[in-house]
Every structure is written in C-alpha cells, then in structure tokens.
Amino acid sequence: MANTPTTDALALRDMASSFDAQRGKLPVLGDAHRSPEPTAVCRLIAELGELITQLSDEVLARVTAPDRAPHSDQVITAFASAVEPAGEAVTALGAVNHQLAFLAQTEPSHDHPWVREARESAVHVIEDALATANNALHDAATWLHAAATTHSPPSVRLRAALSRPHTAASTTPPPASTTKAASTTAGPPASVRSR
C-alpha cells in the first residue's frame, strides 16, 4: 500500500501518542502509586524497545519502497529522529533499574554511614535519570507531532473557510447610527472622568 500524506500523518501521530503514553507511565519519586519499582521499569524498557523497533520498521518500509512518494524523505527523517531520544529514555531507565537494584542490595545495612550516603546518592541518580527519560520522551513525541501536523491535510473547517468568497461587508464602516449610539453609551469623556 502506498503511503499518502494522510496515512503518513496518521502513522506519525499514532507513534507520537505512543511516546506520550509511555511518558505518562514513568515512575515518580515520592508518589505512593507511581514510585520506582524494578518490574514496572523493566516493563517500560521493554515497551520502549518495541517502539524503537516500530520506528525502525517505519523507516525501513519507506526507504525500501519502490515507488517512494515525494514527501517520504521528510517522514523518514521524522521517524528516524525519534529513535535517538527513545534510546536516551531506555538508557536512563536502565540507570534507574541499576540504582534500584543497589538500593535493594544495601537495604539490610542501610544504617551504616557510608551505605546511607551511597543510598542517598543513588536516589539522586534515580531522580536525574527519570527527568532525563521524561525529557527524552517529550522530545520524541513533540518531533513526531510536529511532523504529523506538517503532513496533515487542511481540516474540513479550514478548507471551508478558505473556499468562502470574500465579502465587502468586513471592510465597510458601520452605519452612522451605530457609531453614534456607541459613543453615547461609552461613558463620559476622559476629561470629565478625571475630575
């Protein structure tokens, strides 16, 4: 099936929404319902791996298409550009899992001063890594949304507005009676009000 600007815009938008959804699943430090937990982080990494595969498949399908459409190069660039931030998010979540494993390993000896310092440091690393993942997923989604907008055909409302004939009514001044009524109801002149 040949890719059209409309189908490409839909594919870009769907992929952008997938990255938005993954961003919404990111753990949040201090949130009892979304606290970082190894199983959830592993699941996120796996899902992002699937999205990276889908991005690569989208690029491959267009690069190898025998009848590549003129707009395909821009779409290929959009899908390819999202791979890097997606990879950054996976790397950041890998760091989160590493630190979570360290925290679990050191839990029995958390009262020792050097362990306490190392655990505090691990929490800061988790915080930074989650922020990195959030920003990376935001970048990927933003680029894909922007590319989808570029390739979306004009909306029905916009096409209707563009096809309407221009009327002279918008350029003619209002009737004198309307102007006079407006001036009498607008209140006293500034010089009177300031007294």
Side-chain angles (χ1 to χ4, degrees):
M1 185 179 81
N3 292 311
T4 66
T6 300
T7 59
D8 281 333
L10 288 172
L12 288 162
R13 193 171 291 116
D14 285 347
M15 189 64 71
S17 296
S18 295
F19 278 104
D20 283 331
Q22 292 302 312
R23 189 169 165 236
K25 295 179 186 178
L26 285 174
V28 178
L29 280 175
D31 186 328
H33 301 290
R34 292 176 61 185
S35 182
E37 187 272 321
T39 305
V41 175
C42 285
R43 192 174 296 118
L44 275 171
I45 291 171
E47 290 172 0
L48 284 172
E50 291 174 10
L51 283 180
I52 290 172
T53 300
Q54 289 175 27
L55 287 169
S56 298
D57 288 345
E58 293 286 0
V59 171
L60 183 62
R62 287 164 178 80
V63 168
T64 58
D67 52 348
R68 190 189 298 189
H71 70 278
S72 290
D73 287 341
Q74 292 175 321
V75 177
I76 289 167
T77 301
F79 280 122
S81 68
V83 173
E84 184 179 356
E88 287 177 14
V90 169
T91 301
L93 289 173
V96 170
N97 253 358
H98 181 195
Q99 299 306 316
L100 289 174
F102 172 77
L103 290 173
Q105 179 186 356
T106 56
E107 175 60 31
S109 53
H110 70 273
D111 286 336
H112 296 297
W114 71 270
V115 174
R116 190 180 311 120
E117 284 183 23
R119 288 171 62 84
E120 288 173 2
S121 178
V123 170
H124 290 307
V125 171
I126 290 172
E127 192 172 34
D128 290 344
L130 288 174
T132 298
N134 182 67
N135 291 336
L137 293 177
H138 177 264
D139 288 347
T142 299
W143 293 342
L144 291 166
H145 276 302
T149 302
T150 301
H151 293 287
S152 294
S155 66
V156 173
R157 182 178 288 175
L158 177 59
R159 284 196 302 258
L162 293 174
S163 65
R164 278 190 214 122
H166 293 291
T167 60
S170 60
T171 58
T172 55
S177 59
T178 307
T179 309
K180 185 175 181 183
S183 65
T184 57
T185 58
S191 58
V192 175
R193 276 187 239 132
S194 61
R195 287 182 188 162

